[in-house]
Amino acid sequence: MNCNTEALSFPQSAAAPRMDIYVGIHKALRAMMLDTLQAVGRLDVHDPAETQSTCDRVQELADLCASHLGHENDFVHAAMEARRPGSSGRIAAEHVEHQAAIAQLRGAVDALGAAGCAASQAGAALRLYRQLALFVGENFTHMHIEETQHNQVLWSCYGDEELRALEGAIVASLPPAENLLIMRWMIPAMTPAERAELLGGIQAAAPAPVFSAVLEAVRPHLGRQDWAKLSRALAPAPARIVA
């Protein structure tokens, strides 16, 4: 993959922003990738519980990346190909490479778990860290291409309501546990306005227990000021927010 930023496009924001199907989920993935990479980098291999927890986190990231890749193939690429054949070809090929990279990450996690002595574990942890760093870097470039080039295709071929319906179909296909995991990473990574819009929509449409579960998942990861801003934005239903 070409990581030369000079070859990448950085289009200017339009006066009236279009529906961006990538922005939220990609913020979630970037946040989770960076946090997981840092956890591997500071891993104390002399602590068995920490080692197991960190391995579990990498596996969880691998699971989410594999699932996200499948959703993009099944929904977004299908929509692009339906109205502009061939437009998803480059990224579809990279998705095949990412599937192999995800399998390699899982193998590196297994190698760390199987390492016997502390010296072997330290070496395995460093190899996992470097492999994960490459995976994260490649994915950051990959996501930028989707957010620029793929969005241009989607915006030229679909209206915003159609794109919202496409996003809704993706969300409806998610198992509840996966959806909650995405919310845990997505909402803290968003701007206050994005949080308010997303959670306001969930508050209006979802049953109260579902909305409460989302709040419980994200509140530990929001700072005091961010939580206060969100509480004010959702003020029409104060009974659902515990100060």
Side-chain angles (χ1 to χ4, degrees):
M1 181 181 297
N2 180 9
C3 292
N4 179 5
T5 57
E6 293 180 358
L8 302 178
S9 59
F10 294 84
Q12 296 295 318
S13 298
R18 293 293 310 274
M19 163 63 186
D20 189 340
I21 202 168
Y22 290 110
V23 64
I25 183 60
H26 281 184
K27 283 190 175 185
L29 288 172
R30 287 183 177 107
M32 188 178 186
M33 287 176 179
L34 288 175
D35 197 68
T36 305
L37 179 62
Q38 289 178 324
V40 176
R42 61 175 175 257
L43 173 63
D44 178 5
V45 295
H46 299 282
D47 185 332
E50 181 181 340
T51 300
Q52 184 60 56
S53 174
T54 303
C55 287
D56 291 344
R57 290 182 62 180
V58 178
Q59 293 284 19
E60 185 176 55
L61 174 63
D63 289 343
L64 186 59
C65 287
S67 179
H68 172 68
L69 182 155
H71 298 320
E72 286 190 337
N73 287 345
D74 295 342
F75 291 92
V76 182
H77 291 187
M80 294 170 66
E81 293 297 323
R83 297 191 183 178
R84 188 170 296 177
S87 57
S88 70
R90 171 183 174 179
I91 292 298
E94 290 185 5
H95 279 182
V96 175
E97 296 174 0
H98 287 180
Q99 288 174 329
I102 289 168
Q104 291 171 355
L105 277 180
R106 296 190 194 280
V109 171
D110 291 342
L112 174 56
C117 64
S120 297
Q121 287 180 318
L126 183 58
R127 287 190 291 274
L128 173 60
Y129 175 72
R130 288 173 173 163
Q131 191 168 335
L132 181 57
L134 288 174
F135 178 78
V136 170
E138 290 171 357
N139 270 272
F140 275 27
T141 301
H142 175 91
M143 286 188 281
H144 176 80
I145 294 169
E146 290 176 328
E147 292 164 356
T148 54
Q149 296 177 18
H150 277 205
N151 261 338
Q152 291 301 322
V153 173
L154 291 168
W155 293 338
S156 66
C157 295
Y158 291 90
D160 284 353
E161 289 306 313
E162 291 176 299
L163 294 176
R164 289 189 183 93
L166 177 61
E167 182 181 60
I170 296 172
V171 173
S173 75
L174 300 176
E178 181 178 345
N179 197 11
L180 203 59
L181 177 64
I182 291 170
M183 292 294 104
R184 175 261 176 271
W185 288 103
M186 180 188 296
I187 292 171
M190 286 178 154
T191 67
E194 289 170 337
R195 283 187 210 116
E197 181 179 3
L198 176 61
L199 286 170
I202 296 173
Q203 184 182 37
V210 173
F211 180 67
S212 296
V214 173
L215 288 182
E216 290 173 7
V218 303
R219 181 167 186 181
H221 309 287
L222 290 176
R224 180 177 298 179
Q225 289 187 344
D226 284 333
W227 181 256
K229 291 176 183 178
L230 180 60
S231 298
R232 289 194 295 270
L234 300 177
R240 290 184 178 180
I241 303 253
V242 179

